[in-house]
Amino acid sequence: MKKFIVTLATIAGITASVITYEDVNTVISVFQDKQYKKIDVAAIPKDTLNKIKKDYGNYTVKEAYKADDGEYKLVLSKDGVDLTATFTSTGNLIKILN
């Protein structure tokens, strides 16, 4: 069993040393580059928009973008301050980007 663990650790170490910093950045950027297309705010389903407005009612939706997987990126505005947030297709907050 010890030989197996040592061999596995050695193989993992060799494999890890082959991956370069540039390769890691390429892999990370591939997973982060979700493409969004601009849409009219009116194109957001009513149920989804109602959920967002219920949770963020003091904000106005200035711009809307949609990814192929149904995720939304919205530019919300309140008191002259904008923030961008992503939501699931059902209106659940994923993250606030700024």
Side-chain angles (χ1 to χ4, degrees), residues 39-88:
I39 62 170
D40 290 332
V41 174
I44 300 171
K46 189 174 182 175
D47 291 341
T48 302
L49 197 55
N50 285 341
K51 168 121 176 77
I52 294 167
K53 286 186 175 189
K54 177 184 168 198
D55 295 341
Y56 301 93
N58 295 327
Y59 287 87
T60 302
V61 180
K62 287 179 63 176
E63 295 178 28
Y65 301 84
K66 186 176 181 182
D68 288 338
D69 65 358
E71 190 174 289
Y72 293 99
K73 183 184 291 186
L74 304 178
V75 178
L76 306 172
S77 182
K78 178 181 173 185
D79 300 328
V81 177
D82 293 348
L83 68 88
T84 303
T86 55
F87 295 89
T88 64

